[in-house]
Amino acid sequence: MKVIASIFLAAALLASSVPLAAQVDVERYIKQDAFGEIKLSPDGDYYAASVPMENQTVLAIMRRSDNKLTTTFSLGKNTHVMDFWWVNPERVVISAGEKFGELDLPLPT
């Protein structure tokens, strides 16, 4: 009986000496990014960025001098801008894909 009491006492002392784990802010790790990929135009005047939305990915073009949004390109529900390339200072070519379901990856079309 004395052995069991000393084991409980040792366990209580050990438990009280272990610090409590700090709370981890999980939200910052599971939050979706604001931009997927950003590319600078050949002349350096514009940014093109893929922007993930709830059920699609759109392409946004912003002027670099004042960060003003100049245009967006959307393909519709369940369609995503998979990649894009500047072909000259005023033109962007995109590749599109479709995605169905929350965890699926877009497939090229």
Side-chain angles (χ1 to χ4, degrees), residues 53-89:
M53 307 294 257
E54 184 177 329
N55 59 4
Q56 64 180 339
T57 303
V58 297
L59 183 70
I61 310 290
M62 297 172 284
R63 191 175 18 244
R64 193 174 141 223
S65 60
D66 58 0
N67 288 336
K68 182 179 179 186
L69 187 65
T70 59
T71 190
T72 59
F73 186 77
S74 172
L75 298 164
K77 185 178 179 183
N78 294 327
T79 56
H80 299 267
V81 174
M82 295 186 64
D83 203 358
F84 57 95
W85 304 269
W86 286 98
V87 292
N88 68 33

PDB file of all heavy atoms in Angstrom, residues 53-89:
ATOM      1  N   MET A  53     -10.387  31.256 -55.673  1.00  0.00           N
ATOM      2  CA  MET A  53     -11.677  31.622 -55.085  1.00  0.00           C
ATOM      3  C   MET A  53     -12.312  30.346 -54.542  1.00  0.00           C
ATOM      4  O   MET A  53     -11.675  29.304 -54.519  1.00  0.00           O
ATOM      5  CB  MET A  53     -12.572  32.267 -56.139  1.00  0.00           C
ATOM      6  CG  MET A  53     -11.929  33.426 -56.855  1.00  0.00           C
ATOM      7  SD  MET A  53     -11.628  34.809 -55.791  1.00  0.00           S
ATOM      8  CE  MET A  53     -12.932  35.862 -56.267  1.00  0.00           C
ATOM      9  N   GLU A  54     -13.567  30.428 -54.131  1.00  0.00           N
ATOM     10  CA  GLU A  54     -14.239  29.275 -53.533  1.00  0.00           C
ATOM     11  C   GLU A  54     -14.327  28.093 -54.492  1.00  0.00           C
ATOM     12  O   GLU A  54     -14.018  26.972 -54.133  1.00  0.00           O
ATOM     13  CB  GLU A  54     -15.642  29.676 -53.086  1.00  0.00           C
ATOM     14  CG  GLU A  54     -16.381  28.573 -52.376  1.00  0.00           C
ATOM     15  CD  GLU A  54     -17.734  29.034 -51.880  1.00  0.00           C
ATOM     16  OE1 GLU A  54     -17.880  30.210 -51.555  1.00  0.00           O
ATOM     17  OE2 GLU A  54     -18.638  28.189 -51.826  1.00  0.00           O
ATOM     18  N   ASN A  55     -14.755  28.326 -55.730  1.00  0.00           N
ATOM     19  CA  ASN A  55     -14.905  27.218 -56.675  1.00  0.00           C
ATOM     20  C   ASN A  55     -14.295  27.516 -58.045  1.00  0.00           C
ATOM     21  O   ASN A  55     -14.695  26.940 -59.044  1.00  0.00           O
ATOM     22  CB  ASN A  55     -16.383  26.838 -56.820  1.00  0.00           C
ATOM     23  CG  ASN A  55     -17.224  27.991 -57.302  1.00  0.00           C
ATOM     24  OD1 ASN A  55     -16.710  29.060 -57.611  1.00  0.00           O
ATOM     25  ND2 ASN A  55     -18.513  27.789 -57.375  1.00  0.00           N
ATOM     26  N   GLN A  56     -13.344  28.425 -58.084  1.00  0.00           N
ATOM     27  CA  GLN A  56     -12.656  28.743 -59.334  1.00  0.00           C
ATOM     28  C   GLN A  56     -11.362  29.489 -59.020  1.00  0.00           C
ATOM     29  O   GLN A  56     -11.138  29.912 -57.896  1.00  0.00           O
ATOM     30  CB  GLN A  56     -13.541  29.597 -60.246  1.00  0.00           C
ATOM     31  CG  GLN A  56     -13.863  30.967 -59.675  1.00  0.00           C
ATOM     32  CD  GLN A  56     -14.746  31.769 -60.608  1.00  0.00           C
ATOM     33  OE1 GLN A  56     -14.805  31.501 -61.801  1.00  0.00           O
ATOM     34  NE2 GLN A  56     -15.432  32.752 -60.074  1.00  0.00           N
ATOM     35  N   THR A  57     -10.512  29.602 -60.030  1.00  0.00           N
ATOM     36  CA  THR A  57      -9.302  30.412 -59.915  1.00  0.00           C
ATOM     37  C   THR A  57      -9.334  31.415 -61.048  1.00  0.00           C
ATOM     38  O   THR A  57      -9.506  31.041 -62.205  1.00  0.00           O
ATOM     39  CB  THR A  57      -8.034  29.546 -60.020  1.00  0.00           C
ATOM     40  OG1 THR A  57      -8.081  28.547 -59.008  1.00  0.00           O
ATOM     41  CG2 THR A  57      -6.789  30.380 -59.812  1.00  0.00           C
ATOM     42  N   VAL A  58      -9.209  32.690 -60.719  1.00  0.00           N
ATOM     43  CA  VAL A  58      -9.261  33.742 -61.719  1.00  0.00           C
ATOM     44  C   VAL A  58      -7.866  34.344 -61.907  1.00  0.00           C
ATOM     45  O   VAL A  58      -6.987  34.178 -61.065  1.00  0.00           O
ATOM     46  CB  VAL A  58     -10.270  34.850 -61.333  1.00  0.00           C
ATOM     47  CG1 VAL A  58     -11.671  34.308 -61.251  1.00  0.00           C
ATOM     48  CG2 VAL A  58      -9.889  35.505 -60.035  1.00  0.00           C
ATOM     49  N   LEU A  59      -7.688  35.027 -63.016  1.00  0.00           N
ATOM     50  CA  LEU A  59      -6.437  35.720 -63.292  1.00  0.00           C
ATOM     51  C   LEU A  59      -6.693  37.212 -63.127  1.00  0.00           C
ATOM     52  O   LEU A  59      -7.646  37.749 -63.680  1.00  0.00           O
ATOM     53  CB  LEU A  59      -5.953  35.429 -64.718  1.00  0.00           C
ATOM     54  CG  LEU A  59      -4.612  36.041 -65.087  1.00  0.00           C
ATOM     55  CD1 LEU A  59      -3.489  35.330 -64.326  1.00  0.00           C
ATOM     56  CD2 LEU A  59      -4.365  35.950 -66.572  1.00  0.00           C
ATOM     57  N   ALA A  60      -5.866  37.870 -62.335  1.00  0.00           N
ATOM     58  CA  ALA A  60      -5.990  39.310 -62.097  1.00  0.00           C
ATOM     59  C   ALA A  60      -4.735  40.006 -62.620  1.00  0.00           C
ATOM     60  O   ALA A  60      -3.629  39.535 -62.386  1.00  0.00           O
ATOM     61  CB  ALA A  60      -6.166  39.585 -60.611  1.00  0.00           C
ATOM     62  N   ILE A  61      -4.926  41.114 -63.320  1.00  0.00           N
ATOM     63  CA  ILE A  61      -3.820  41.919 -63.827  1.00  0.00           C
ATOM     64  C   ILE A  61      -3.842  43.248 -63.077  1.00  0.00           C
ATOM     65  O   ILE A  61      -4.868  43.933 -63.047  1.00  0.00           O
ATOM     66  CB  ILE A  61      -3.950  42.184 -65.352  1.00  0.00           C
ATOM     67  CG1 ILE A  61      -4.196  40.887 -66.118  1.00  0.00           C
ATOM     68  CG2 ILE A  61      -2.738  42.939 -65.859  1.00  0.00           C
ATOM     69  CD1 ILE A  61      -3.042  39.954 -66.165  1.00  0.00           C
ATOM     70  N   MET A  62      -2.701  43.603 -62.470  1.00  0.00           N
ATOM     71  CA  MET A  62      -2.600  44.845 -61.699  1.00  0.00           C
ATOM     72  C   MET A  62      -1.471  45.703 -62.248  1.00  0.00           C
ATOM     73  O   MET A  62      -0.424  45.187 -62.628  1.00  0.00           O
ATOM     74  CB  MET A  62      -2.309  44.542 -60.230  1.00  0.00           C
ATOM     75  CG  MET A  62      -3.401  43.764 -59.535  1.00  0.00           C
ATOM     76  SD  MET A  62      -2.924  43.240 -57.896  1.00  0.00           S
ATOM     77  CE  MET A  62      -1.839  41.886 -58.299  1.00  0.00           C
ATOM     78  N   ARG A  63      -1.713  47.017 -62.245  1.00  0.00           N
ATOM     79  CA  ARG A  63      -0.665  47.949 -62.630  1.00  0.00           C
ATOM     80  C   ARG A  63       0.313  48.080 -61.472  1.00  0.00           C
ATOM     81  O   ARG A  63      -0.083  48.239 -60.316  1.00  0.00           O
ATOM     82  CB  ARG A  63      -1.274  49.310 -62.975  1.00  0.00           C
ATOM     83  CG  ARG A  63      -0.314  50.247 -63.629  1.00  0.00           C
ATOM     84  CD  ARG A  63      -0.918  51.557 -64.081  1.00  0.00           C
ATOM     85  NE  ARG A  63      -2.179  51.917 -63.491  1.00  0.00           N
ATOM     86  CZ  ARG A  63      -3.314  52.046 -64.185  1.00  0.00           C
ATOM     87  NH1 ARG A  63      -3.326  51.833 -65.477  1.00  0.00           N
ATOM     88  NH2 ARG A  63      -4.430  52.395 -63.574  1.00  0.00           N
ATOM     89  N   ARG A  64       1.590  47.981 -61.762  1.00  0.00           N
ATOM     90  CA  ARG A  64       2.615  47.974 -60.721  1.00  0.00           C
ATOM     91  C   ARG A  64       2.798  49.348 -60.064  1.00  0.00           C
ATOM     92  O   ARG A  64       3.084  49.438 -58.876  1.00  0.00           O
ATOM     93  CB  ARG A  64       3.934  47.498 -61.322  1.00  0.00           C
ATOM     94  CG  ARG A  64       4.956  47.166 -60.287  1.00  0.00           C
ATOM     95  CD  ARG A  64       6.187  46.559 -60.938  1.00  0.00           C
ATOM     96  NE  ARG A  64       7.332  47.083 -60.232  1.00  0.00           N
ATOM     97  CZ  ARG A  64       8.434  47.515 -60.781  1.00  0.00           C
ATOM     98  NH1 ARG A  64       8.583  47.473 -62.073  1.00  0.00           N
ATOM     99  NH2 ARG A  64       9.405  47.979 -60.060  1.00  0.00           N
ATOM    100  N   SER A  65       2.603  50.420 -60.812  1.00  0.00           N
ATOM    101  CA  SER A  65       2.865  51.760 -60.294  1.00  0.00           C
ATOM    102  C   SER A  65       1.945  52.141 -59.134  1.00  0.00           C
ATOM    103  O   SER A  65       2.382  52.761 -58.168  1.00  0.00           O
ATOM    104  CB  SER A  65       2.741  52.797 -61.407  1.00  0.00           C
ATOM    105  OG  SER A  65       1.427  52.780 -61.950  1.00  0.00           O
ATOM    106  N   ASP A  66       0.658  51.746 -59.205  1.00  0.00           N
ATOM    107  CA  ASP A  66      -0.282  52.120 -58.147  1.00  0.00           C
ATOM    108  C   ASP A  66      -1.072  50.932 -57.584  1.00  0.00           C
ATOM    109  O   ASP A  66      -1.999  51.123 -56.797  1.00  0.00           O
ATOM    110  CB  ASP A  66      -1.249  53.182 -58.654  1.00  0.00           C
ATOM    111  CG  ASP A  66      -2.037  52.736 -59.876  1.00  0.00           C
ATOM    112  OD1 ASP A  66      -1.835  51.601 -60.346  1.00  0.00           O
ATOM    113  OD2 ASP A  66      -2.863  53.528 -60.358  1.00  0.00           O
ATOM    114  N   ASN A  67      -0.714  49.710 -57.988  1.00  0.00           N
ATOM    115  CA  ASN A  67      -1.397  48.474 -57.551  1.00  0.00           C
ATOM    116  C   ASN A  67      -2.895  48.490 -57.865  1.00  0.00           C
ATOM    117  O   ASN A  67      -3.686  47.864 -57.166  1.00  0.00           O
ATOM    118  CB  ASN A  67      -1.169  48.199 -56.073  1.00  0.00           C
ATOM    119  CG  ASN A  67       0.231  47.741 -55.791  1.00  0.00           C
ATOM    120  OD1 ASN A  67       0.907  47.208 -56.668  1.00  0.00           O
ATOM    121  ND2 ASN A  67       0.697  47.960 -54.577  1.00  0.00           N
ATOM    122  N   LYS A  68      -3.281  49.206 -58.907  1.00  0.00           N
ATOM    123  CA  LYS A  68      -4.682  49.243 -59.312  1.00  0.00           C
ATOM    124  C   LYS A  68      -4.994  48.028 -60.167  1.00  0.00           C
ATOM    125  O   LYS A  68      -4.234  47.658 -61.065  1.00  0.00           O
ATOM    126  CB  LYS A  68      -4.972  50.519 -60.096  1.00  0.00           C
ATOM    127  CG  LYS A  68      -6.419  50.640 -60.494  1.00  0.00           C
ATOM    128  CD  LYS A  68      -6.689  51.910 -61.251  1.00  0.00           C
ATOM    129  CE  LYS A  68      -8.159  51.939 -61.640  1.00  0.00           C
ATOM    130  NZ  LYS A  68      -8.457  53.081 -62.487  1.00  0.00           N
ATOM    131  N   LEU A  69      -6.115  47.383 -59.887  1.00  0.00           N
ATOM    132  CA  LEU A  69      -6.573  46.231 -60.654  1.00  0.00           C
ATOM    133  C   LEU A  69      -7.052  46.724 -62.013  1.00  0.00           C
ATOM    134  O   LEU A  69      -7.967  47.544 -62.099  1.00  0.00           O
ATOM    135  CB  LEU A  69      -7.695  45.518 -59.901  1.00  0.00           C
ATOM    136  CG  LEU A  69      -8.181  44.202 -60.464  1.00  0.00           C
ATOM    137  CD1 LEU A  69      -7.067  43.167 -60.394  1.00  0.00           C
ATOM    138  CD2 LEU A  69      -9.386  43.728 -59.691  1.00  0.00           C
ATOM    139  N   THR A  70      -6.425  46.258 -63.090  1.00  0.00           N
ATOM    140  CA  THR A  70      -6.805  46.715 -64.419  1.00  0.00           C
ATOM    141  C   THR A  70      -7.792  45.774 -65.096  1.00  0.00           C
ATOM    142  O   THR A  70      -8.665  46.218 -65.828  1.00  0.00           O
ATOM    143  CB  THR A  70      -5.574  46.904 -65.329  1.00  0.00           C
ATOM    144  OG1 THR A  70      -4.877  45.669 -65.429  1.00  0.00           O
ATOM    145  CG2 THR A  70      -4.662  47.972 -64.779  1.00  0.00           C
ATOM    146  N   THR A  71      -7.645  44.476 -64.873  1.00  0.00           N
ATOM    147  CA  THR A  71      -8.590  43.523 -65.464  1.00  0.00           C
ATOM    148  C   THR A  71      -8.539  42.199 -64.712  1.00  0.00           C
ATOM    149  O   THR A  71      -7.561  41.897 -64.024  1.00  0.00           O
ATOM    150  CB  THR A  71      -8.298  43.296 -66.963  1.00  0.00           C
ATOM    151  OG1 THR A  71      -9.371  42.554 -67.542  1.00  0.00           O
ATOM    152  CG2 THR A  71      -7.006  42.541 -67.157  1.00  0.00           C
ATOM    153  N   THR A  72      -9.604  41.429 -64.841  1.00  0.00           N
ATOM    154  CA  THR A  72      -9.647  40.059 -64.318  1.00  0.00           C
ATOM    155  C   THR A  72     -10.190  39.157 -65.415  1.00  0.00           C
ATOM    156  O   THR A  72     -10.930  39.602 -66.298  1.00  0.00           O
ATOM    157  CB  THR A  72     -10.553  39.931 -63.071  1.00  0.00           C
ATOM    158  OG1 THR A  72     -11.878  40.332 -63.412  1.00  0.00           O
ATOM    159  CG2 THR A  72     -10.036  40.779 -61.932  1.00  0.00           C
ATOM    160  N   PHE A  73      -9.815  37.892 -65.336  1.00  0.00           N
ATOM    161  CA  PHE A  73     -10.294  36.914 -66.306  1.00  0.00           C
ATOM    162  C   PHE A  73     -10.790  35.701 -65.541  1.00  0.00           C
ATOM    163  O   PHE A  73     -10.034  35.081 -64.803  1.00  0.00           O
ATOM    164  CB  PHE A  73      -9.175  36.521 -67.271  1.00  0.00           C
ATOM    165  CG  PHE A  73      -9.635  35.624 -68.370  1.00  0.00           C
ATOM    166  CD1 PHE A  73     -10.348  36.137 -69.443  1.00  0.00           C
ATOM    167  CD2 PHE A  73      -9.387  34.272 -68.328  1.00  0.00           C
ATOM    168  CE1 PHE A  73     -10.787  35.321 -70.464  1.00  0.00           C
ATOM    169  CE2 PHE A  73      -9.827  33.438 -69.339  1.00  0.00           C
ATOM    170  CZ  PHE A  73     -10.527  33.968 -70.408  1.00  0.00           C
ATOM    171  N   SER A  74     -12.069  35.399 -65.718  1.00  0.00           N
ATOM    172  CA  SER A  74     -12.695  34.275 -65.031  1.00  0.00           C
ATOM    173  C   SER A  74     -13.251  33.311 -66.066  1.00  0.00           C
ATOM    174  O   SER A  74     -13.812  33.726 -67.080  1.00  0.00           O
ATOM    175  CB  SER A  74     -13.823  34.786 -64.132  1.00  0.00           C
ATOM    176  OG  SER A  74     -14.553  33.718 -63.609  1.00  0.00           O
ATOM    177  N   LEU A  75     -13.113  32.026 -65.792  1.00  0.00           N
ATOM    178  CA  LEU A  75     -13.592  31.000 -66.719  1.00  0.00           C
ATOM    179  C   LEU A  75     -14.919  30.384 -66.290  1.00  0.00           C
ATOM    180  O   LEU A  75     -15.465  29.565 -66.992  1.00  0.00           O
ATOM    181  CB  LEU A  75     -12.539  29.897 -66.854  1.00  0.00           C
ATOM    182  CG  LEU A  75     -11.204  30.357 -67.417  1.00  0.00           C
ATOM    183  CD1 LEU A  75     -10.130  29.321 -67.158  1.00  0.00           C
ATOM    184  CD2 LEU A  75     -11.340  30.631 -68.891  1.00  0.00           C
ATOM    185  N   GLY A  76     -15.409  30.716 -65.114  1.00  0.00           N
ATOM    186  CA  GLY A  76     -16.678  30.178 -64.636  1.00  0.00           C
ATOM    187  C   GLY A  76     -16.490  29.169 -63.517  1.00  0.00           C
ATOM    188  O   GLY A  76     -15.376  28.863 -63.097  1.00  0.00           O
ATOM    189  N   LYS A  77     -17.614  28.632 -63.068  1.00  0.00           N
ATOM    190  CA  LYS A  77     -17.622  27.712 -61.935  1.00  0.00           C
ATOM    191  C   LYS A  77     -16.835  26.434 -62.242  1.00  0.00           C
ATOM    192  O   LYS A  77     -16.933  25.898 -63.350  1.00  0.00           O
ATOM    193  CB  LYS A  77     -19.068  27.366 -61.584  1.00  0.00           C
ATOM    194  CG  LYS A  77     -19.212  26.512 -60.357  1.00  0.00           C
ATOM    195  CD  LYS A  77     -20.670  26.248 -60.040  1.00  0.00           C
ATOM    196  CE  LYS A  77     -20.766  25.368 -58.822  1.00  0.00           C
ATOM    197  NZ  LYS A  77     -22.138  25.024 -58.497  1.00  0.00           N
ATOM    198  N   ASN A  78     -16.046  25.972 -61.260  1.00  0.00           N
ATOM    199  CA  ASN A  78     -15.239  24.750 -61.326  1.00  0.00           C
ATOM    200  C   ASN A  78     -14.152  24.787 -62.392  1.00  0.00           C
ATOM    201  O   ASN A  78     -13.615  23.748 -62.759  1.00  0.00           O
ATOM    202  CB  ASN A  78     -16.112  23.503 -61.530  1.00  0.00           C
ATOM    203  CG  ASN A  78     -17.006  23.241 -60.342  1.00  0.00           C
ATOM    204  OD1 ASN A  78     -16.638  23.512 -59.213  1.00  0.00           O
ATOM    205  ND2 ASN A  78     -18.187  22.731 -60.589  1.00  0.00           N
ATOM    206  N   THR A  79     -13.822  25.960 -62.897  1.00  0.00           N
ATOM    207  CA  THR A  79     -12.719  26.086 -63.840  1.00  0.00           C
ATOM    208  C   THR A  79     -11.629  26.936 -63.208  1.00  0.00           C
ATOM    209  O   THR A  79     -11.904  27.855 -62.450  1.00  0.00           O
ATOM    210  CB  THR A  79     -13.166  26.710 -65.178  1.00  0.00           C
ATOM    211  OG1 THR A  79     -13.783  27.960 -64.915  1.00  0.00           O
ATOM    212  CG2 THR A  79     -14.116  25.796 -65.917  1.00  0.00           C
ATOM    213  N   HIS A  80     -10.397  26.604 -63.526  1.00  0.00           N
ATOM    214  CA  HIS A  80      -9.259  27.221 -62.852  1.00  0.00           C
ATOM    215  C   HIS A  80      -8.179  27.604 -63.850  1.00  0.00           C
ATOM    216  O   HIS A  80      -7.942  26.888 -64.819  1.00  0.00           O
ATOM    217  CB  HIS A  80      -8.672  26.247 -61.822  1.00  0.00           C
ATOM    218  CG  HIS A  80      -9.656  25.872 -60.768  1.00  0.00           C
ATOM    219  ND1 HIS A  80      -9.748  26.541 -59.587  1.00  0.00           N
ATOM    220  CD2 HIS A  80     -10.610  24.912 -60.735  1.00  0.00           C
ATOM    221  CE1 HIS A  80     -10.711  26.006 -58.854  1.00  0.00           C
ATOM    222  NE2 HIS A  80     -11.255  25.018 -59.540  1.00  0.00           N
ATOM    223  N   VAL A  81      -7.542  28.733 -63.592  1.00  0.00           N
ATOM    224  CA  VAL A  81      -6.353  29.121 -64.335  1.00  0.00           C
ATOM    225  C   VAL A  81      -5.217  28.293 -63.757  1.00  0.00           C
ATOM    226  O   VAL A  81      -4.818  28.478 -62.612  1.00  0.00           O
ATOM    227  CB  VAL A  81      -6.070  30.630 -64.194  1.00  0.00           C
ATOM    228  CG1 VAL A  81      -4.756  30.989 -64.844  1.00  0.00           C
ATOM    229  CG2 VAL A  81      -7.210  31.446 -64.777  1.00  0.00           C
ATOM    230  N   MET A  82      -4.737  27.321 -64.517  1.00  0.00           N
ATOM    231  CA  MET A  82      -3.692  26.427 -64.011  1.00  0.00           C
ATOM    232  C   MET A  82      -2.309  27.056 -64.129  1.00  0.00           C
ATOM    233  O   MET A  82      -1.468  26.892 -63.267  1.00  0.00           O
ATOM    234  CB  MET A  82      -3.735  25.095 -64.742  1.00  0.00           C
ATOM    235  CG  MET A  82      -5.021  24.331 -64.459  1.00  0.00           C
ATOM    236  SD  MET A  82      -5.027  22.690 -65.169  1.00  0.00           S
ATOM    237  CE  MET A  82      -3.708  21.914 -64.285  1.00  0.00           C
ATOM    238  N   ASP A  83      -2.075  27.776 -65.227  1.00  0.00           N
ATOM    239  CA  ASP A  83      -0.793  28.455 -65.428  1.00  0.00           C
ATOM    240  C   ASP A  83      -1.024  29.587 -66.410  1.00  0.00           C
ATOM    241  O   ASP A  83      -2.049  29.638 -67.110  1.00  0.00           O
ATOM    242  CB  ASP A  83       0.260  27.488 -65.958  1.00  0.00           C
ATOM    243  CG  ASP A  83       1.684  27.949 -65.667  1.00  0.00           C
ATOM    244  OD1 ASP A  83       1.865  29.051 -65.085  1.00  0.00           O
ATOM    245  OD2 ASP A  83       2.620  27.229 -66.014  1.00  0.00           O
ATOM    246  N   PHE A  84      -0.090  30.515 -66.461  1.00  0.00           N
ATOM    247  CA  PHE A  84      -0.184  31.628 -67.393  1.00  0.00           C
ATOM    248  C   PHE A  84       1.215  32.128 -67.710  1.00  0.00           C
ATOM    249  O   PHE A  84       2.152  31.919 -66.951  1.00  0.00           O
ATOM    250  CB  PHE A  84      -1.048  32.760 -66.834  1.00  0.00           C
ATOM    251  CG  PHE A  84      -0.576  33.296 -65.510  1.00  0.00           C
ATOM    252  CD1 PHE A  84       0.252  34.403 -65.452  1.00  0.00           C
ATOM    253  CD2 PHE A  84      -0.951  32.698 -64.326  1.00  0.00           C
ATOM    254  CE1 PHE A  84       0.699  34.906 -64.248  1.00  0.00           C
ATOM    255  CE2 PHE A  84      -0.514  33.187 -63.118  1.00  0.00           C
ATOM    256  CZ  PHE A  84       0.313  34.291 -63.072  1.00  0.00           C
ATOM    257  N   TRP A  85       1.334  32.777 -68.883  1.00  0.00           N
ATOM    258  CA  TRP A  85       2.625  33.269 -69.348  1.00  0.00           C
ATOM    259  C   TRP A  85       2.425  34.614 -70.016  1.00  0.00           C
ATOM    260  O   TRP A  85       1.464  34.805 -70.770  1.00  0.00           O
ATOM    261  CB  TRP A  85       3.242  32.304 -70.373  1.00  0.00           C
ATOM    262  CG  TRP A  85       3.399  30.921 -69.877  1.00  0.00           C
ATOM    263  CD1 TRP A  85       4.490  30.394 -69.246  1.00  0.00           C
ATOM    264  CD2 TRP A  85       2.441  29.866 -69.950  1.00  0.00           C
ATOM    265  NE1 TRP A  85       4.265  29.081 -68.922  1.00  0.00           N
ATOM    266  CE2 TRP A  85       3.003  28.735 -69.343  1.00  0.00           C
ATOM    267  CE3 TRP A  85       1.150  29.768 -70.461  1.00  0.00           C
ATOM    268  CZ2 TRP A  85       2.336  27.531 -69.242  1.00  0.00           C
ATOM    269  CZ3 TRP A  85       0.471  28.573 -70.357  1.00  0.00           C
ATOM    270  CH2 TRP A  85       1.074  27.469 -69.757  1.00  0.00           C
ATOM    271  N   TRP A  86       3.324  35.532 -69.762  1.00  0.00           N
ATOM    272  CA  TRP A  86       3.361  36.793 -70.508  1.00  0.00           C
ATOM    273  C   TRP A  86       4.009  36.493 -71.856  1.00  0.00           C
ATOM    274  O   TRP A  86       5.111  35.970 -71.911  1.00  0.00           O
ATOM    275  CB  TRP A  86       4.189  37.836 -69.767  1.00  0.00           C
ATOM    276  CG  TRP A  86       3.521  38.410 -68.560  1.00  0.00           C
ATOM    277  CD1 TRP A  86       3.697  38.037 -67.270  1.00  0.00           C
ATOM    278  CD2 TRP A  86       2.573  39.480 -68.546  1.00  0.00           C
ATOM    279  NE1 TRP A  86       2.909  38.789 -66.448  1.00  0.00           N
ATOM    280  CE2 TRP A  86       2.211  39.695 -67.207  1.00  0.00           C
ATOM    281  CE3 TRP A  86       2.001  40.263 -69.540  1.00  0.00           C
ATOM    282  CZ2 TRP A  86       1.293  40.665 -66.836  1.00  0.00           C
ATOM    283  CZ3 TRP A  86       1.080  41.240 -69.158  1.00  0.00           C
ATOM    284  CH2 TRP A  86       0.739  41.433 -67.823  1.00  0.00           C
ATOM    285  N   VAL A  87       3.343  36.828 -72.963  1.00  0.00           N
ATOM    286  CA  VAL A  87       3.922  36.614 -74.288  1.00  0.00           C
ATOM    287  C   VAL A  87       4.470  37.911 -74.863  1.00  0.00           C
ATOM    288  O   VAL A  87       5.298  37.883 -75.768  1.00  0.00           O
ATOM    289  CB  VAL A  87       2.916  35.961 -75.263  1.00  0.00           C
ATOM    290  CG1 VAL A  87       2.622  34.536 -74.820  1.00  0.00           C
ATOM    291  CG2 VAL A  87       1.644  36.765 -75.375  1.00  0.00           C
ATOM    292  N   ASN A  88       4.005  39.042 -74.381  1.00  0.00           N
ATOM    293  CA  ASN A  88       4.576  40.353 -74.671  1.00  0.00           C
ATOM    294  C   ASN A  88       4.095  41.289 -73.553  1.00  0.00           C
ATOM    295  O   ASN A  88       3.343  40.850 -72.679  1.00  0.00           O
ATOM    296  CB  ASN A  88       4.225  40.844 -76.087  1.00  0.00           C
ATOM    297  CG  ASN A  88       2.762  41.161 -76.290  1.00  0.00           C
ATOM    298  OD1 ASN A  88       2.069  41.598 -75.393  1.00  0.00           O
ATOM    299  ND2 ASN A  88       2.288  40.952 -77.510  1.00  0.00           N
ATOM    300  N   PRO A  89       4.490  42.536 -73.525  1.00  0.00           N
ATOM    301  CA  PRO A  89       4.110  43.404 -72.404  1.00  0.00           C
ATOM    302  C   PRO A  89       2.617  43.636 -72.228  1.00  0.00           C
ATOM    303  O   PRO A  89       2.178  44.102 -71.179  1.00  0.00           O
ATOM    304  CB  PRO A  89       4.818  44.733 -72.730  1.00  0.00           C
ATOM    305  CG  PRO A  89       5.977  44.348 -73.563  1.00  0.00           C
ATOM    306  CD  PRO A  89       5.508  43.176 -74.381  1.00  0.00           C
TER     307      PRO A  89
END
